[in-house]
Amino acid sequence: MTQDATPPREPGSSPFDGPPLSLEEELAAARAEPEPGPDIATVNESLADGLNRCPKCGSTDVRLRGSTGMLVCLFCRHEWQEARVEEEFGLGEGIDDLQGTVIAGGAEDIAVDASDVMTLKCGGCGAEVVIDTAHAMNARCHWCRHTLNIQQQTPNGAVPDAVLPFRLTHDEAVAKIREFASKRQLFAHPRFKKEFVPENVLGVYLPYLVIDARAEASYTGTGEVQTRRWTEKNGDDTVTYYAADVFRVDRTVAFNVDDLTIEGAADRADFGGSTTNNIVNTVLPFDTKNAVKWNSSYLVGFTSEKRDLDVADLQPILETQLLSIGRSQVEGSISEFDRGVRWEQEGLDVGGSRWVSMYLPVWIYSYFQEDTKMLHYIAVNARTGETMGSVPVSQWRLVLAAMTVGTVLEGLAGFLLVAFS
């Protein structure tokens, strides 16, 4: 029996309408297909050539004026700022409609083989300028002196979607740290106070993931309502007993979270070791609603850290925090259980989440304590002034204080025994 030859496909017809493609044809078709873009495109297209020009005079000598949070041209002194991402990319809306995991361009997975070193072509003279993104996001062309910026999102995690500019100046941060340390000077190590160097208070942008999410959490446990209470004498001791009715408690709550902030660097999640840099997270929250479109000119004069954690790495942390938020949401509905509720089982369904990468500003002072080999940090939220940290203590002062307090308490107890005997 003979088989008719299959006629060639018409241009534009489906591959399933004709014979299978050859390997060469499949490869050519794959190359012709555009690469999938991010769920939210946040690239600042106005800076595509790597030059951030003053809109008034065209100079690229631009930096942040910390006292105003505005960019300032150092040539003509004109000030301006980028648009807020809240409105620019619609990040303040649509949480109720989120489906699945929505990821902005700067929060996409980091390519393992991505290089820190990037070569940019100067838009002023055409020279090639090398920038090591592990240490800087700007460089000046050695020929025409234009300042080149890393503006396009790169696969190494160096460029976020948004940046929250510094507001507190260096002098204000130093004053905050002095105030914080002075409240703890009773136990502070004398060398710490003596060796405080204001110049070592450094401004740094730290990488965070800012998340919107809608979720439903469920909790199952047992609650107790006290029915009786009594005391019984047991030798020289008095023992208190309770009687309670025990109930099964089930709660379910649906809720949204807006701008939940999680650190994007792995070392910030390390609560052990010989450093106290996790103290940075105690100065949260930041006013992330005021974050603006990425422009590396905001980083001039400051250092920054790259993000090294992807969305998948942070999903467990998000779920833990959502469960905690859910427990606080149902707290008001269990007040009748005066003996409390013990949750025995928890469940979480994240209907949708939206992830945006953001640089947040912090002033940091570090001090190495020689006798304990501990590196201490004090952090200042560069937007709100919230300050927290670890101050090296003097062991002999602690012992002396403990002995003094113990002596006072013993004297007070003796006085009371004499007074009431």
Side-chain angles (χ1 to χ4, degrees), residues 39-61:
D39 297 323
I40 305 175
T42 56
V43 172
N44 194 339
E45 296 294 349
S46 66
L47 307 174
D49 61 354
L51 296 178
N52 180 26
R53 297 181 176 87
C54 169
K56 188 173 182 180
C57 73
S59 170
T60 61
D61 199 0

Side-chain angles (χ1 to χ4, degrees), residues 22-309:
S22 66
L23 178 60
E24 291 76 10
E25 289 175 318
E26 289 182 357
L27 290 174
R31 293 191 189 99
E33 293 178 359
E35 290 290 328
D39 297 323
I40 305 175
T42 56
V43 172
N44 194 339
E45 296 294 349
S46 66
L47 307 174
D49 61 354
L51 296 178
N52 180 26
R53 297 181 176 87
C54 169
K56 188 173 182 180
C57 73
S59 170
T60 61
D61 199 0
V62 177
R63 67 184 303 158
L64 171 70
R65 174 168 296 192
S67 58
T68 63
M70 308 274 282
L71 294 176
V72 58
C73 172
L74 300 184
F75 184 77
C76 71
R77 315 310 296 179
H78 176 64
E79 295 188 19
W80 75 100
Q81 67 177 357
E82 294 288 349
R84 294 201 324 164
V85 293
E86 186 82 357
E87 294 84 18
E88 190 74 9
F89 303 124
L91 301 181
E93 56 192 29
I95 301 178
D96 283 331
D97 302 320
L98 285 175
Q99 297 285 341
T101 303
V102 179
I103 302 176
E108 291 188 307
D109 285 355
I110 299 170
V112 177
D113 58 348
S115 173
D116 289 336
V117 178
M118 299 185 63
T119 301
L120 301 183
K121 184 176 288 293
C122 177
C125 68
E128 291 189 343
V129 178
V130 175
I131 300 179
D132 182 0
T133 61
H135 303 97
M137 300 300 288
N138 311 81
R140 300 200 76 173
C141 174
H142 48 277
W143 293 106
C144 69
R145 307 304 294 167
H146 268 315
T147 301
L148 277 71
N149 306 274
I150 302 293
Q151 307 291 9
Q152 300 294 324
Q153 281 154 359
T154 61
N156 64 12
V159 179
D161 300 295
V163 56
L164 185 63
F166 273 74
R167 176 180 289 166
L168 266 67
T169 64
H170 180 268
D171 289 343
E172 291 171 329
V174 169
K176 290 286 185 182
I177 292 173
R178 287 189 187 278
E179 179 185 2
F180 177 85
S182 66
K183 293 179 180 178
R184 293 152 180 82
Q185 63 182 352
L186 178 62
F187 302 116
H189 199 289
R191 289 187 60 183
F192 172 74
K193 296 181 291 183
K194 182 180 179 181
E195 298 174 359
F196 177 71
V197 181
E199 290 74 19
N200 288 344
V201 177
L202 303 177
V204 57
Y205 282 100
L206 296 176
Y208 282 81
L209 276 297
V210 179
I211 307 153
D212 299 332
R214 64 178 186 88
E216 182 175 286
S218 59
Y219 307 88
T220 300
T222 55
E224 296 184 358
V225 177
Q226 182 178 315
T227 57
R228 193 161 65 96
R229 170 180 173 174
W230 69 97
T231 59
E232 295 182 2
K233 197 72 173 176
N234 186 3
D236 293 334
D237 298 326
T238 300
V239 181
T240 301
Y241 294 92
Y242 300 88
D245 291 334
V246 180
F247 299 87
R248 175 187 170 91
V249 182
D250 293 289
R251 293 291 186 270
T252 300
V253 60
F255 58 93
N256 293 343
V257 294
D258 186 10
D259 283 10
L260 181 65
T261 306
I262 299 177
E263 59 270 22
D267 63 347
R268 211 76 62 244
D270 180 13
F271 288 86
S274 58
T275 68
T276 63
N277 62 357
N278 50 63
I279 205 72
V280 170
N281 292 312
T282 64
V283 299
L284 297 173
F286 287 83
D287 55 327
T288 50
K289 295 296 183 186
N290 291 315
V292 299
K293 292 173 64 175
W294 167 251
N295 185 325
S296 66
S297 292
Y298 285 104
L299 275 63
V300 176
F302 303 99
T303 59
S304 62
E305 285 188 7
K306 290 197 313 177
R307 174 177 64 91
D308 59 7
L309 294 175

